[in-house]
């Protein structure tokens, strides 16, 4: 169960939730002050009884009026009428005190009473400036000034007080009124400054909120546009992929027939040498075109995000030796030495996409053999810095003693349709898609294809894949 004060504050928060932050703070402050008054009044009455204070009936009425004003202020604050609550607290407290001060039959200590009333009026004037309207604050100042002048004329000036007490009475009247005037002007100025700052902050807040709403609408509209553009791009990419797949299939079918027919033609013993050379050129061109179709289809799938990597067990050493064996005849024809080194201690079987790994290795080895002059050397090295780890970081490295590349060529060699220069394309052939595809496949398998090269000193392509060993 919540305490009464917390319940009252929760009610205030509910009443002022739709108003400005400044109004909510003022309501809490006024409520807290009013509650303190309700606690103070019974204690002060008890003190008056204990000390046998003079003019007790008048003091009792003043305290009760102060407490009644505080209770009324709490009521109107809870109703959401903040300025009325401040006006009630100030005026209901001021009027009884000054009326009784003017019409009291006599004073035992008139100067002490005047000082107490001045302190009381000072507090109420501040409350009026903070919580009430300017009209109420000005009314309170006039009541206070009139009451002090009347009290001075009635109790301090007739009969006149002799000595230093008389001088103190004159100072209290003269300087007290001046001080109250200064406090009123300063408080009114501060209240105006606070209200102006608050109004400007509220205007800025509303402008910021409107700007945020506009930005949210703009971002929402742009997001919808981007989503629509993305959908269109994805649809176009899927259409392109489907088109390339269908066209690749349609072209591969007659192309395979041409290649097969050419190979059968080359097997005829009665084929004249010139015709055999022409048939060989047709077969090689068909193989090149078939590889180009495969590269374009793979790259299109990668760009469209439609290429999925498989995960199946495979034996590492047979895969590597098989790839090298496929290029052995090509290396022999080019008089290039092709070697393989597999580090001992590696697990025999791993789980990954062996087809894509083989595709990368074949492309790197094929390039190395192609760009290595006669008498050169191509080496495929497979090893690991942590052969017992799971997954095992397996490093693949293809190095050659070929023509090499300068730094400018290395910076763009993994871009699609890129080779060293036009003379390289004319001399060695190729489309420039192989390394771009290999680099993307290595990334899809969790690695990065790196290159070290220098003109005339060969090249070294390497990548490390986290492969899961299979027992």
């Amino acid at each position: 169960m919540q305490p009464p004060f917390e319940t009252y504050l929760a009610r205030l928060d509910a009443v002022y939730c739709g108003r400005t932050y400044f109004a909510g703070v003022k309501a809490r402050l006024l409520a807290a002050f009013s509650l303190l008054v309700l606690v103070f009044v019974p204690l002060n009455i008890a003190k008056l009884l204990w000390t046998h204070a003079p003019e007790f009936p008048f003091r009792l009425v003043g305290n009760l009026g102060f407490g009644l004003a505080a209770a009324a202020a709490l009521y109107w604050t809870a109703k959401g009428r903040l300025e009325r609550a401040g006006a009630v607290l100030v005026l209901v407290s001021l009027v009884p005190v000054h009326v009784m001060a003017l019409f009291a039959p006599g004073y035992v200590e008139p100067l002490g009473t005047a000082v107490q009333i001045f302190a009381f009026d000072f507090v109420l004037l501040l409350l009026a400036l903070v919580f009430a309207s300017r009209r109420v604050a000005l009314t309170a100042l006039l009541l206070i000034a009139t009451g002090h002048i009347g009290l001075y004329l009635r109790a301090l000036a007739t009969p006149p007080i002799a000595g230093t007490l008389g001088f103190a009475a004159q100072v209290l009247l003269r300087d007290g009124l001046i001080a109250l005037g200064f406090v009123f002007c300063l408080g009114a100025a501060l209240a105006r400054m606070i209200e102006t700052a608050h109004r400007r902050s509220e205007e800025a807040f509303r402008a910021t909120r409107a700007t945020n709403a506009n930005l949210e609408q703009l971002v929402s509209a742009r997001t919808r546009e981007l989503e629509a553009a993305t959908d269109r791009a994805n649809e176009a990419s899927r259409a392109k992929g489907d088109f390339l797949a269908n066209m690749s299939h349609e072209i591969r079918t007659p192309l395979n027939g041409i290649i097969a027919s050419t190979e059968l033609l080359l097997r005829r013993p009665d084929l004249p040498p010139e015709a055999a050379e022409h048939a060989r050129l047709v077969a090689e061109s068909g193989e090149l075109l078939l590889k180009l179709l495969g590269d374009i289809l793979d790259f299109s799938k990668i760009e469209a995000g439609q290429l999925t990597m498989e995960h199946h067990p495979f034996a590492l050493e047979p895969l590597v030796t098989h790839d090298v064996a496929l290029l052995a005849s090509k290396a022999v024809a080019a008089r290039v030495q092709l070697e393989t080194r597999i580090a001992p201690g590696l697990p025999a079987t791993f789980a990954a996409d062996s087809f894509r790994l083989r595709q990368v290795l074949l492309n790197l080895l094929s390039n190395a053999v192609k760009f290595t002059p006669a008498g050169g050397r191509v080496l495929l090295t497979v090893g690991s810095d942590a052969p017992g780890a799971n997954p095992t970081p397996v490093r693949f490295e293809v190095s050659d003693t070929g023509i090499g590349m300068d730094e400018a060529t290395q910076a763009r060699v993994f871009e699609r349709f890129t080779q060293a220069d036009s003379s390289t394309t004319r001399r060695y052939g190729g489309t420039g898609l192989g390394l771009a595809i290999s680099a993307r496949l290595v990334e899809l398998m969790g690695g990065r294809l790196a290159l070290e090269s220098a003109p005339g000193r060969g090249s070294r392509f390497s990548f490390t894949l986290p492969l899961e060993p299979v027992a």
Side-chain angles (χ1 to χ4, degrees):
M1 183 177 180
Q2 288 185 333
F5 183 65
E6 292 185 4
T7 305
Y8 181 79
L9 289 180
R11 182 180 176 185
L12 281 185
D13 293 338
V15 171
Y16 291 89
C17 64
R19 303 190 188 181
T20 62
Y21 174 77
F22 186 62
V25 172
K26 286 178 64 175
R28 278 176 164 260
L29 288 175
L30 183 56
F33 182 82
S34 301
L35 289 172
L36 288 176
V37 170
L38 291 178
V39 174
F40 166 78
V41 166
L43 295 177
N44 192 47
I45 293 175
K47 184 201 74 171
L48 294 176
L49 291 172
W50 180 265
T51 58
H52 302 286
E55 296 96 19
F56 176 76
F58 295 97
R59 295 176 184 270
L60 178 61
V61 173
N63 278 272
L64 292 177
F66 198 25
L68 180 63
L74 282 176
Y75 173 79
W76 288 113
T77 303
K79 290 292 185 180
R81 306 291 295 275
L82 190 58
E83 285 193 354
R84 173 170 291 189
V88 168
L89 178 62
V90 173
L91 297 179
V92 174
S93 301
L94 273 178
V95 172
V97 171
H98 283 277
V99 169
M100 289 186 298
L102 291 175
F103 295 100
Y107 297 96
V108 177
E109 294 289 343
L111 184 58
T113 302
V115 170
Q116 288 181 339
I117 294 176
F118 178 80
F120 181 73
D121 290 343
F122 192 86
V123 173
L124 291 179
L125 182 60
L126 291 177
L127 291 174
L129 290 169
V130 174
F131 297 109
S133 63
R134 294 189 184 89
R135 182 179 300 177
V136 172
L138 182 60
T139 302
L141 177 64
L142 294 177
L143 284 175
I144 291 171
T146 302
H148 273 277
I149 293 173
L151 180 62
Y152 177 81
L153 294 177
R154 185 174 181 277
L156 300 178
T158 55
I161 302 175
T164 57
L165 292 179
F167 177 75
Q170 295 177 4
V171 169
L172 178 64
L173 174 66
R174 181 180 62 249
D175 295 347
L177 292 177
I178 293 174
L180 288 174
F182 273 118
V183 168
F184 178 82
C185 294
L186 180 61
L190 288 175
R192 175 65 64 88
M193 290 173 60
I194 292 173
E195 290 177 2
T196 302
H198 175 66
R199 184 174 62 254
R200 290 180 178 177
S201 65
E202 286 296 319
E203 292 174 355
F205 176 73
R206 285 193 294 270
T208 302
R209 187 163 52 187
T211 302
N212 289 338
N214 293 333
L215 286 176
E216 289 177 358
Q217 294 177 358
L218 181 61
V219 169
S220 178
R222 293 292 176 85
T223 302
R224 289 193 296 270
E225 292 176 1
L226 288 175
E227 289 177 350
T230 302
D231 292 339
R232 290 193 297 269
N234 291 335
E235 184 63 28
S237 179
R238 285 191 295 269
K240 180 183 70 174
D242 294 341
F243 171 78
L244 289 175
N246 293 332
M247 289 302 297
S248 174
H249 174 73
E250 296 297 330
I251 295 175
R252 282 173 189 266
T253 301
L255 191 58
N256 284 324
I258 294 173
I259 294 173
S261 299
T262 306
E263 290 178 351
L264 291 175
L265 186 62
L266 287 171
R267 293 177 184 177
R268 293 186 58 175
D270 58 342
L271 191 66
E274 185 177 356
E277 179 64 18
H278 291 165
R280 185 186 63 81
L281 291 176
V282 171
E284 290 181 356
S285 299
E287 293 287 351
L288 180 61
L289 184 57
L290 195 61
K291 183 179 184 305
L292 176 60
L293 286 174
D295 288 345
I296 293 176
L297 184 59
D298 285 342
F299 193 82
S300 175
K301 287 182 178 179
I302 293 173
E303 288 291 303
Q306 297 177 351
L307 187 66
T308 56
M309 307 303 293
E310 298 181 1
H311 193 77
H312 54 261
F314 67 93
L316 179 62
E317 185 173 353
L319 180 144
V320 172
T321 55
H322 182 265
D323 287 350
V324 173
L326 289 176
L327 293 171
S329 59
K330 183 178 179 180
V332 171
R335 289 184 295 163
V336 173
Q337 183 180 358
L338 182 58
E339 299 179 3
T340 304
R341 291 180 186 173
I342 301 178
L346 285 174
T349 306
F350 292 96
D353 194 332
S354 62
F355 175 76
R356 296 302 176 183
L357 176 58
R358 175 174 293 173
Q359 182 178 353
V360 173
L361 292 177
L362 282 174
N363 182 72
L364 296 179
L365 289 170
S366 177
N367 285 344
V369 171
K370 180 169 62 174
F371 292 106
T372 300
R377 179 169 174 262
V378 175
L379 174 63
L380 170 59
T381 304
V382 182
S384 176
D385 294 333
N390 187 10
T392 304
V394 181
R395 176 181 173 84
F396 299 86
E397 182 179 297
V398 177
S399 57
D400 62 63
T401 58
I403 60 176
M405 289 174 279
D406 56 22
E407 292 184 358
T409 303
Q410 294 179 47
R412 56 188 177 85
V413 73
F414 294 118
E415 298 176 3
R416 55 185 177 180
F417 306 111
T418 298
Q419 288 189 335
D421 51 40
S422 59
S423 63
T424 302
T425 304
R426 290 193 301 269
R427 180 178 178 184
Y428 297 99
T431 61
L433 278 175
L435 286 178
I437 294 174
S438 297
R440 296 298 297 273
L441 289 177
V442 170
E443 290 178 1
L444 291 174
M445 289 186 287
R448 186 180 69 86
L449 186 57
L451 168 62
E452 299 175 17
S453 183
R457 300 179 59 182
S459 303
R460 179 186 292 111
F461 289 87
S462 62
F463 59 94
T464 301
L465 299 181
L467 300 180
E468 179 184 349
V470 178

